[in-house]
Amino acid sequence: MDVSLIILCLVVVTALAFDFTNGFHDTANAMATSIATGALKPKAAVTLSAVLNLIGAFLSVEVALTVTNAVINIQDKSGAPNVALTADGGFTLLMIVFAGLVGAIVWNLLTWLLGLPSSSSHALFGGLIGSTMAALGVSGVKWTGDGSKLDGVLGKVVMPAFASPVIAAIIAAAGTWLVYKITQGVAERYKESGFRWGQIGSASLVSLAHGTNDAQKTMGVITLALIASGQWTDTENVPFWVKLTCALAIALGTYLGGWRIIRTLGKGLVEISSPQGMAAESASAAVILTSSHLGFALSTTHVATGSILGTGLGKKGAEVRWGVAGRMVAAWMITLPCAGLVGAIMFWIGNGIGGLFGTLVVFALLCGLSGYMWWRSKKAPVDHNNVNEDWDRATPETQVPASAQA
Amino acid sequence: MTQLFFTAIAQVLIIGLVVGAGLPALFALGVRSMAYGAGGDAETGHQVGHPAGRVAGVLIFAVVLAAIALGIAIIVSSGFGYKVSFEHIVPTFIEK
């Protein structure tokens, strides 16, 4: 078997692994509120979300081949890789993508271990920026774009990250306030059953939107790797097997459920009731769909967190745990640089050693780090049985971000 | 870039408020309507709501469902190279 083909296979496997972490990291965005209010049983919620993610991934047939163009300069406008980077049989480009993906996965797993919802797209962009800087220097990164549209790290990542949670919080707060105002004095039994259905419907919409948005990022990355190594030439289409495996990976990840993050979002931030849950998910769905329609890039995670926080602000007497919110924001701020640092280090190691052996060393590092974090998580497991345990009375071990013991 | 940014934010915020806060409010109105005539918070009796309230409630829920269906149509159509146009007020699919 050809050496470059083995490297390509490792890149594809790693990309699918990233897609998988993307799925379980983001289950919480759609389903945390429905699980917390008991509108859906935990297992039923993750199953529903997984199915909708799978459907969503297939619905997005739009070519996402140019996904890296938002932040780095390794492809041209049509999606074809830079000629300079493929001169060596595509090794440099594959290594940039590979190291970037490793950085993204490591950061996703670490934040999952800490129970912190952080953006998977920021992790991916961060990892790619880091590995690109290690490979090509600062000029390899598209910091601002040419000013004609919102582009580059500033326009596609930094600015939306500050704005989107605030927008989502305002909308969710307004929705919550209206819902409570309108249903004031209505018998409890009508509210309970009515808002449960509203909640399930709005959460489903968020899941579907997530599948259409996020799965195609990995599809784009894998197709780029295939083109770089000469296995695929069509920049207009994504191979069917790529679409299928990406859809399955994100759905499987979603089904596994990032229980630690679901717990933080559903129980940790605000004590949530059905009307609040519906308001939060409606706000999230509206913001995500409007932005992606307008081409304004934002992270599902930031929106969902902002919405849940907003429902706490919109309901009189609801308590928002600002300490938990503060830790989340801190995690968001460092997501990009941390994933970038891991990406850069992985590139130096992989490229420094070079060839198949370098790639294998990086892959072994990824497996080792992932295995270690999985092992740590077993010490204080959070799963579908204890995901809804009372936050304040919980043992410090399962109150994951508060203990931050890892 | 700053100007582009604020335009984008304003658009998302306004549409988001109308759809993201308006639809839940409408839904709440539907819930209220269903409960019309069925007693308040105290829940002393368990009688069913007034028929007129139920009819209004179902109508309101239908509007909410239609809005959601439109949302899904927008996602799906953009994936297949179409977009939903509101040019003739009634949403229609046009090729991008």
Side-chain angles (χ1 to χ4, degrees):
Chain A
M1 201 172 168
D2 190 10
V3 170
S4 68
L5 201 60
I6 301 175
I7 298 178
L8 178 65
C9 286
L10 285 174
V11 175
V12 170
V13 168
T14 311
L16 289 174
F18 167 76
D19 204 26
F20 179 80
T21 64
N22 191 346
F24 82 73
H25 218 279
D26 291 358
T27 318
N29 295 341
M31 287 302 168
T33 57
S34 302
I35 292 172
T37 60
L40 283 168
K41 290 252 181 306
K43 278 283 181 190
V46 292
T47 310
L48 175 64
S49 186
V51 170
L52 290 166
N53 264 285
L54 188 71
I55 297 172
F58 276 107
L59 289 181
S60 62
V61 292
E62 219 166 358
V63 187
L65 191 55
T66 51
V67 57
T68 72
N69 277 359
V71 290
I72 50 177
N73 304 314
I74 59 172
Q75 299 173 268
D76 65 20
K77 276 204 182 74
S78 71
N82 268 1
V83 184
L85 298 175
T86 51
D88 51 358
F91 181 76
T92 310
L93 190 129
L94 282 181
M95 192 44 98
I96 290 175
V97 171
F98 184 50
L101 286 166
V102 171
I105 296 175
V106 169
W107 181 253
N108 263 354
L109 288 176
L110 183 66
T111 46
W112 159 74
L113 185 64
L114 296 171
L116 290 169
S118 76
S119 163
S120 297
S121 23
H122 276 205
L124 177 62
F125 286 152
L128 286 172
I129 291 169
S131 56
T132 305
M133 278 173 78
L136 309 173
V138 182
S139 63
V141 178
K142 194 188 277 178
W143 297 104
T144 56
D146 57 6
S148 63
K149 58 182 169 81
L150 283 172
D151 203 6
V153 179
L154 190 66
K156 288 244 189 222
V157 183
V158 178
M159 286 157 105
F162 281 103
S164 57
V166 180
I167 297 176
I170 294 172
I171 297 169
T176 307
W177 185 82
L178 283 168
V179 165
Y180 274 97
K181 201 82 189 157
I182 290 169
T183 56
Q184 212 170 32
V186 172
E188 204 50 48
R189 64 200 160 105
Y190 283 101
K191 284 200 268 190
E192 258 326 293
S193 62
F195 287 120
R196 276 185 182 196
W197 281 111
Q199 210 185 347
I200 294 168
S202 50
S204 301
L205 207 54
V206 175
S207 291
L208 193 69
H210 184 261
T212 58
N213 272 330
D214 279 26
Q216 54 171 313
K217 287 181 189 146
T218 314
M219 295 179 196
V221 169
I222 294 180
T223 311
L224 171 65
L226 292 175
I227 294 175
S229 54
Q231 301 291 330
W232 185 261
T233 45
D234 184 358
T235 55
E236 296 291 322
N237 287 297
V238 171
F240 178 74
W241 67 266
V242 172
K243 217 178 278 178
L244 180 69
T245 47
C246 286
L248 287 173
I250 203 165
L252 198 64
T254 308
Y255 175 72
L256 195 75
W259 299 109
R260 307 172 94 81
I261 303 170
I262 294 176
R263 177 161 168 69
T264 307
L265 268 183
K267 300 299 278 187
L269 202 53
V270 183
E271 285 297 334
I272 231 165
S273 63
S274 290
Q276 284 173 296
M278 187 191 72
E281 298 307 330
S282 308
S284 297
V287 173
I288 294 166
L289 294 179
T290 314
S291 324
S292 69
H293 200 65
L294 295 173
F296 185 54
L298 42 68
S299 156
T300 323
T301 308
H302 296 162
V303 173
T305 314
S307 296
I308 292 174
L309 198 84
T311 60
L313 298 173
K315 186 191 174 190
K316 234 185 269 174
E319 180 203 4
V320 176
R321 292 195 189 84
W322 289 107
V324 177
R327 269 190 293 275
M328 284 180 195
V329 173
W332 295 351
M333 304 273 238
I334 59 173
T335 292
L336 200 84
C338 285
L341 189 66
V342 181
I345 293 171
M346 292 299 167
F347 183 84
W348 281 319
I349 295 175
N351 199 51
I353 301 171
L356 177 61
F357 188 62
T359 320
L360 284 173
V361 169
V362 174
F363 193 70
L365 279 171
L366 171 66
C367 294
L369 285 167
S370 310
Y372 174 73
M373 285 189 270
W374 182 77
W375 174 73
R376 282 299 302 249
S377 78
K378 287 285 150 198
K379 287 186 156 182
V382 177
D383 60 20
H384 63 279
N385 295 311
N386 63 348
V387 67
N388 271 344
E389 225 167 78
D390 197 62
W391 185 265
D392 291 320
R393 258 180 293 163
T395 50
E397 283 77 30
T398 53
Q399 198 181 333
V400 192
S403 64
Q405 47 170 278
Chain B
M1 184 106 108
T2 346
Q3 188 165 6
L4 283 166
F5 177 63
F6 284 109
T7 320
I9 287 187
Q11 278 176 317
V12 175
L13 186 63
I14 291 165
I15 302 175
L17 272 173
V18 172
V19 180
L23 281 180
L26 200 60
F27 190 88
L29 203 64
V31 170
R32 175 154 210 132
S33 206
M34 293 301 262
Y36 174 69
D41 247 347
E43 232 185 302
T44 40
H46 276 272
Q47 68 269 51
V48 220
H50 195 279
R54 292 228 300 282
V55 171
V58 168
L59 280 176
I60 292 172
F61 288 142
V63 172
V64 174
L65 278 178
I68 294 171
L70 184 65
I72 295 174
I74 291 173
I75 313 179
V76 176
S77 62
S78 82
F80 288 93
Y82 285 85
K83 65 176 190 175
V84 174
S85 157
F86 296 95
E87 212 175 323
H88 312 291
I89 301 167
V90 179
T92 39
F93 292 100
I94 53 166
E95 217 163 313
K96 265 200 264 201

